[in-house]
Amino acid sequence: MQLIDIYAKFVQRVLPQQCVLCSRLSGKRALCEGCLRELPYHPARCCPVCATPMPQAELCGACLKHPPHFDAATAVFSYAPPVDALLQAYKYGNHLAIAGALGECLALHVAARPKPDVILAMPLHPQRLYERGFNQAMEIARSVSRASGIPLALDTVVRLRPTVPQASLPLTQRRRNVRGAFACLRDLEGRHVAVVDDVMTSGATLNELAKVLKRAGAGRVDCWVMARTLREPAS
């Protein structure tokens, strides 16, 4: 860890911060309580498998027709303002202080759910990691692990090749884009695994990773994401 990173973490933990949304003092957190209350939380009525909003909390047509490899997905927020801008600032603006607040929100959101044996973060390809400087899903996963006490498994899954950003592709091409993109380096026989990611849109990337984890023996795979788009069902 570089000296500048150590200093940044010291400042975040010890000195009062300003809320990244409203600029008011927010103590040791990146978001103040007022802004946290006003964020667009994901609807409680949604498909229990892919988290697509539904009139009733029941399986959506896509999951009935083509069940995904993951067993359940849950999202804290809907991908709508200001969460979309917040995640973009975190992901591309190097606002790492946001990761702690996001992870705490996610840990609280999943606290009543069945506790997994281990947490994994959606992996980045080394080339993308070098360009960005950090894995946004990993930093959130670290915070979730600290808040929940669930161990975070490092060096368990890898991304074998760089892929075109999913958001730039039509839904019909997203499965093909991530096919064969992941590998699992550990035996997960019978283990309950939770995969942490920042945003879930079509679910294709999480589904491909879940397929790899199931092949490695995982008994159950849950997807824990910060935000879920409202219009695109998992497929």
Side-chain angles (χ1 to χ4, degrees), residues 130-142:
Y130 175 78
E131 293 169 354
R132 190 170 298 163
F134 70 104
N135 179 345
Q136 74 279 357
M138 178 63 75
E139 297 309 312
I140 295 172
R142 289 186 198 278

Side-chain angles (χ1 to χ4, degrees), residues 66-216:
H66 300 291
H69 294 282
F70 53 79
D71 297 275
T74 186
V76 184
F77 304 113
S78 294
Y79 194 68
V83 168
D84 52 357
L86 183 68
L87 289 173
Q88 290 290 317
Y90 166 56
K91 192 171 181 177
Y92 300 112
N94 292 323
H95 292 295
L96 291 176
I98 299 174
L102 295 177
E104 289 174 6
C105 289
L106 183 50
L108 184 63
H109 181 75
V110 300
R113 292 177 174 266
K115 193 172 183 178
D117 299 306
V118 67
I119 295 172
L120 301 177
M122 176 63 68
L124 279 182
H125 186 268
Q127 176 183 323
R128 190 68 52 82
L129 182 61
Y130 175 78
E131 293 169 354
R132 190 170 298 163
F134 70 104
N135 179 345
Q136 74 279 357
M138 178 63 75
E139 297 309 312
I140 295 172
R142 289 186 198 278
S143 180
V144 174
S145 178
R146 285 194 298 267
S148 65
I150 303 169
L152 173 63
L154 303 173
D155 303 321
T156 297
V157 289
V158 295
R159 194 177 288 242
L160 300 174
R161 56 182 177 80
T163 54
V164 176
Q166 292 284 77
S168 67
L169 298 173
L171 288 175
T172 54
Q173 295 181 23
R174 292 184 183 181
R175 283 187 190 175
R176 189 181 314 132
N177 183 47
V178 295
R179 191 173 297 151
F182 302 105
C184 183
L185 308 179
R186 302 283 185 271
D187 182 5
L188 298 175
E189 187 63 36
R191 307 201 82 186
H192 179 184
V193 177
V195 178
V196 171
D197 204 1
D198 55 345
V199 180
M200 180 178 180
T201 51
S202 71
T205 306
L206 286 161
N207 191 46
E208 181 67 19
L209 180 55
K211 179 174 70 174
V212 171
L213 296 175
K214 288 290 184 73
R215 286 178 177 173

